[in-house]
């Protein structure tokens, strides 16, 4: 029941719902797949069959059933793909079997870049009635405070795609106490205060430093007697560096059997960048995020 | 069936088996609980009921049903407990509601210390037919190469408790390639080579840098076409720093709903150090590790 004169914002709670929203968008979504592996081609086939996206490939040989531009190597494939996006012939890129370092190096120097580049992983956790965004396990090994703020802004954009209007952002650290042995606690405290002062243009409820358990579990917050600025679980888990983010995500996926999707922000349109080990289902969901994001960024 | 003239080593596969092994040890196991919270007392009651361990407490008030030494504050409680271990009146300590930093600071300066202090978490993962050791999410924020080697040696001791004779140690990093942007890849490669040269006295099969997915999943290793020195899953996941280890463990527990136990190595006998958010079941298993370890260290 809607209260008179008010909106009730209902965020997207699971991947099935996310897929549904993406399929409801009537405009065509054109993607160029860069140097595909088998999973990328399977993803393209599934996306085409369900009417989610149309694929073109750039590869060293013709891919049956899809328009293919034949090029000699992955780097030229990527440069060709970037050119297609700039010339507005496709909406975005999807990374295939090309080394992530090379992919990012070429991408970041290209004309696609509109801001700070960072990656978000979206986790669908069994028995949790919401999606969790983790950032950034892919781009910047040791972000500065300024870079961390840009990473948060990108994650808030991702939250907007999930229809979360005022996301709860947990700035992660191994400890809740501000301690000189852990520089992540300094950065988290400073960024939290900057948000409190209103000096960052970004609609989000930010608190840190917090440990992973505190960010996710109300019970743990009660036990540790730490009063947070929001009730756990957070919507966005912002890790202090690439490696700790990557371990958090991989642990969830490979130990917890959690499903994950991922896109790269800071470009004209978000780029689908999944891990070589991600399966077709993950990649389709990543495509959905990129498709919905197009409308969010334009608005 | 035992092959003639050979031993078949069967490692401990789950917490139930670990508990069974600890209960089969006939010698008494005496533990002093430092400044207990409710979970610590529940753990002591359970340990007493099943004949696993006998508890004494050091606290600001008498704990019903247990010998209690009454002291005014947590620090004095810890100092009193350490003294009991040194005087051989109890076998080891169990941390209660006392800040981990304070606990470690006092402990590390005490006469209990026999080597480098580090923590291992043991994870019981559903549908995985083995236990996984993760280290070190508790003690040293940024270990040097020398400290990392000591951390590995302690984890190998923990593997011995689990009856793994030649543990597979994955030196984790965000990347499998040696890259100057990620110092963890340098350290991992150097330590791997040191083990290859036989310059480290430690029975283990070590390889790194490897990502979490590669360390755990044979499928991922095949997809990424990286030849490891052992078949995944590894027995020991050695993280490059405290924070990334902590995130890996907490992600498994709070996202993956995995059970975890933990002890601290480098003392006369391993100390039970669990997180405030760990439940009674976790703590009992941690006690079992400490009890079995006593025999392993003496041997």
């Amino acid at each position: 029941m809607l209260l008179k004169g008010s909106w009730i914002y209902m965020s997207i709670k699971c991947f099935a719902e996310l897929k549904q929203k993406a399929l409801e968008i009537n405009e065509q979504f054109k993607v160029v797949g860069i140097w595909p592996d088998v999973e990328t081609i399977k993803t393209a086939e599934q996306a085409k069959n369900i009417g989610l996206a149309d694929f073109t490939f750039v590869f060293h040989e013709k891919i049956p059933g899809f328009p293919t531009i034949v090029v000699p190597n992955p780097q030229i494939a990527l440069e060709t793909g970037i050119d297609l996006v700039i010339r507005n012939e496709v909406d975005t890129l999807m990374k295939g079997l090309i080394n992530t370092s090379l992919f990012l190096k070429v991408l970041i120097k290209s004309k696609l870049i509109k801001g700070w580049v960072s990656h978000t992983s979206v986790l669908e956790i069994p028995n949790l009635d919401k999606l969790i965004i983790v950032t950034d396990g892919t781009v910047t090994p040791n972000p500065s405070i300024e870079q961390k703020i840009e990473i948060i802004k990108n994650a808030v954009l991702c939250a907007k795609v999930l229809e979360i209007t005022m996301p709860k952002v947990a700035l992660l650290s191994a400890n809740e106490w501000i301690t000189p042995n852990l520089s992540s606690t300094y950065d988290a405290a400073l960024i939290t205060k900057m948000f409190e002062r209103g000096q960052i243009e970004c609609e989000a409820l930010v608190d840190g430093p917090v440990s992973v358990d505190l960010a996710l579990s109300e019970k743990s917050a009660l036990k540790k007697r730490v009063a947070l600025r929001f009730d756990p679980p957070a919507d966005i888990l912002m890790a202090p560096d690439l490696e700790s983010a990557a371990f958090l995500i991989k642990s969830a996926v490979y130990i917890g059997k959690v499903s994950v999707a991922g896109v790269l922000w800071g470009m004209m349109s978000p780029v689908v960048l999944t891990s070589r080990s991600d399966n077709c289902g993950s990649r389709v969901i990543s495509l959905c995020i990129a498709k919905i994001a197009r409308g969010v960024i334009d608005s």
Side-chain angles (χ1 to χ4, degrees), chain A residues 187-206:
Chain A
D187 284 11
L190 294 170
I191 295 170
T192 301
K193 204 66 202 169
M194 288 165 90
F195 268 87
E196 257 183 70
R197 283 284 178 271
Q199 75 185 87
I200 320 252
E201 263 189 70
C202 178
E203 295 278 307
L205 208 50
V206 176

Side-chain angles (χ1 to χ4, degrees), chain A residues 111-170:
Chain A
K111 285 183 182 158
L112 286 184
I113 301 303
K114 291 277 166 191
W116 183 258
V117 175
S118 66
H119 187 264
T120 58
S121 291
V122 179
L123 308 186
E124 187 188 51
I125 301 168
N127 303 319
L128 189 70
D129 195 27
K130 65 191 287 185
L131 296 169
I132 302 270
I133 298 164
V134 186
T135 192
D136 169 356
T138 307
V139 185
T140 311
N142 291 296
S144 66
I145 288 193
E146 290 70 24
Q147 290 164 347
K148 283 179 178 176
I149 292 165
E150 297 306 314
I151 291 172
I152 294 169
K153 286 182 180 172
N154 283 344
V156 168
L157 256 182
C158 181
K160 221 171 160 184
V161 169
L162 307 180
E163 300 181 6
I164 305 164
T165 43
M166 182 61 104
K168 301 182 271 186
V169 183

Side-chain angles (χ1 to χ4, degrees), chain A residues 203-221:
Chain A
E203 295 278 307
L205 208 50
V206 176
D207 202 356
V210 291
S211 58
V212 174
D213 56 303
L214 211 74
L216 288 172
S217 152
E218 188 130 37
K219 217 168 130 189
S220 176

Side-chain angles (χ1 to χ4, degrees), chain A residues 29-32 54-56 81-93 269:
Chain A
F29 188 52
K30 285 179 286 182
V31 182
V32 54
D54 294 313
F55 268 77
T56 300
I82 289 171
D83 207 46
L84 287 177
V85 183
I86 290 171
R87 284 192 282 119
N88 239 327
E89 291 183 26
V90 300
D91 293 297
T92 195
L93 307 164
S269 76

Side-chain angles (χ1 to χ4, degrees), chain A residues 271-290:
Chain A
V271 161
V272 179
L273 190 155
T274 50
S275 166
R276 274 171 291 178
S277 43
D278 287 344
N279 62 21
C280 175
S282 282
R283 288 165 194 238
V284 168
I285 299 301
S286 305
L287 270 176
C288 293
I289 296 172

